[in-house]
Amino acid sequence: MSKKVLFAGGGTGGHIYPAIAIAKGLKEKMRDVEIVFVGTERGMEMDLVPKAGFRLEKIKVRGFKRKLSFDTFLSFKEMFVGGIDSIRILKKEKPQLVIGTGGYVAGPVVFFATLMGIPTLIHEQNVKPGITNRILGRFVDKIAISFIESVKYFPSSKCILTGNPVRPEIISADKKVALKNLNLKHGIPVVLSFGGSQGAKKLNEAVIELIELIKDREDFQLLHITGQKNYERFLKDMELRGINWERLGYIKIKPYLYNMHDALACADLVVSRAGAITISEITACGKPAILIPLPTAADNHQDFNARYLEKNNAALVIEERLLSGNILYEYIMQILNDKEKYRIMSEASKKLGKPDALNKIVDIAVGLLS
């Protein structure tokens, strides 16, 4: 008899990508399992879930603003509607398991699943859980956490340390092949910098300053990803400063990279934000990092993620308000010029990596389905 698993989570890629990874892992483990996603019309799940080949059911629900406003009342209204939608979907789909991956979408679906006696599992990607998962943790059967420090926010008896699911190609990518694919040179360190899929304005500005400092040197190769919407602006700003990066063979500027596994494989050092999936991929590859947490991230969770890596000697952290090309250059050279520091950071990063996270989460799900 086939089983049905319902996934609830959405809004941002940080909640959706892990859900899709777990869903694909379940399909590989249990060929006859049926997967259904629940999301909203406003989140990235509208695009990502169908592209991954899964059915998406929609509910109306929105997150709460921290300040009281008209939006707060709209949120209460949509929470009520979202609850009714969740009950309707749960009764129609009759899943044997509900998995929540965070975000306000997961709240009503997972909560009502617990009231209806359906087995439930939530996955927390960050060091500091979001408010939705913190509340749901009291009611669900199992909690998969990505960092050991997260256990203090949940009933410890329900927690299982798994890590974040990382795409298989991230772990299996070959450095020599990656260098060739990205047209980078052997023998010169590679610094990979990016601000997430949408880019980061402040990081882009600092990298332009960095390029001015290194344009006549070959201390390292720089592969910088601007984000699609920032690419033209980035090139214009470099042009205004008289920099022609196309003549600098050791500097590569890309708007976006679909083969991010190649970029991580050939990188000796990563400069990035501190989103949960990003740092999970960095540590799975055992790369030292310079992290610039997004200061506007919900519950300041990126700062908690970054500080966790810093505390464990796997990263250096620069607050966005202090970020500049000079600071970035100083931190990069501090790591690349000190072989012992580089070794310690690489080993610490690898130690924090959880390349088997997906298998562990899938095993928990299979256990709840049994």
Side-chain angles (χ1 to χ4, degrees), residues 19-36:
I20 290 172
I22 298 165
K24 287 182 176 179
L26 264 174
K27 288 289 281 184
E28 285 186 15
K29 189 102 171 182
M30 303 174 68
R31 297 289 181 184
D32 61 344
V33 72
E34 184 182 347
I35 305 291
V36 181

Side-chain angles (χ1 to χ4, degrees), residues 30-292:
M30 303 174 68
R31 297 289 181 184
D32 61 344
V33 72
E34 184 182 347
I35 305 291
V36 181
F37 277 74
V38 180
T40 73
E41 291 184 345
R42 290 189 295 266
M44 289 175 68
E45 59 268 28
M46 279 291 289
D47 178 47
L48 296 175
V49 170
K51 277 185 179 175
F54 297 110
R55 176 159 60 92
L56 177 68
E57 293 287 328
K58 295 180 280 293
I59 66 171
K60 282 193 173 182
V61 67
R62 68 168 70 193
F64 284 92
K65 300 289 184 185
R66 302 209 176 270
K67 293 181 180 178
L68 191 65
S69 68
F70 181 67
D71 274 350
T72 307
F73 296 101
L74 288 178
S75 296
F76 272 112
K77 179 187 173 186
E78 289 205 7
M79 182 176 68
F80 179 74
V81 174
I84 293 172
D85 284 346
S86 299
I87 294 169
R88 174 183 57 80
I89 290 170
L90 288 165
K91 283 184 174 179
K92 183 185 81 167
E93 298 295 340
K94 296 182 173 59
Q96 280 73 50
L97 174 64
V98 173
I99 298 176
T101 55
Y104 48 85
V105 178
V109 180
V110 177
F111 176 69
F112 284 108
T114 65
L115 293 187
M116 294 166 73
I118 301 167
T120 48
L121 162 68
I122 57 173
H123 175 251
E124 177 52 55
Q125 297 90 37
N126 295 292
V127 172
K128 184 181 180 184
I131 185 66
T132 301
N133 270 356
R134 272 181 274 169
I135 293 170
L136 292 175
R138 303 170 193 170
F139 304 98
V140 299
D141 295 297
K142 296 290 181 184
I143 305 165
I145 57 174
S146 302
F147 302 92
I148 193 63
E149 286 199 359
S150 304
V151 75
K152 64 187 176 187
Y153 299 98
F154 296 116
S156 59
S157 60
K158 298 180 181 182
C159 291
I160 301 170
L161 179 63
T162 62
N164 276 308
V166 174
R167 293 169 287 169
E169 62 267 28
I170 293 287
I171 299 163
S172 63
D174 179 82
K175 183 170 184 174
K176 288 183 180 178
V177 174
L179 287 168
K180 185 177 180 181
N181 289 345
L182 292 169
N183 196 26
L184 291 163
K185 300 172 185 174
H186 290 268
I188 303 175
V190 175
V191 175
L192 167 65
S193 61
F194 60 96
S197 58
Q198 301 301 312
K201 183 174 181 287
K202 185 72 174 176
L203 177 58
N204 282 338
E205 290 170 357
V207 168
I208 289 175
E209 294 173 5
L210 173 67
I211 290 171
E212 279 198 300
L213 291 171
I214 67 170
K215 67 179 188 294
D216 298 318
R217 307 177 58 163
E218 289 192 24
D219 295 319
F220 55 86
Q221 299 176 88
L222 176 68
L223 173 58
H224 178 63
I225 304 167
T226 64
Q228 296 274 20
K229 65 180 181 179
N230 301 311
Y231 184 65
E232 294 301 327
R233 177 76 263 173
F234 189 92
L235 297 188
K236 189 71 178 173
D237 286 347
M238 289 220 299
E239 186 183 324
L240 290 172
R241 293 173 185 244
I243 303 169
N244 185 345
W245 64 272
E246 289 178 320
R247 292 184 180 177
L248 305 174
Y250 50 93
I251 294 175
K252 308 282 183 191
I253 311 297
K254 305 283 185 183
Y256 187 79
L257 266 186
Y258 288 98
N259 55 330
M260 197 64 184
H261 53 283
D262 281 336
L264 281 167
C266 69
D268 295 282
L269 173 63
V270 179
V271 178
S272 73
R273 290 297 196 192
I277 303 305
T278 296
I279 63 173
S280 294
E281 292 180 345
I282 290 170
T283 55
C285 296
K287 307 293 182 177
I290 296 170
L291 300 173
I292 304 106

Side-chain angles (χ1 to χ4, degrees), residues 70 195 257 335 358 366:
F70 181 67
L257 266 186
I335 297 169
L358 180 57
V366 170

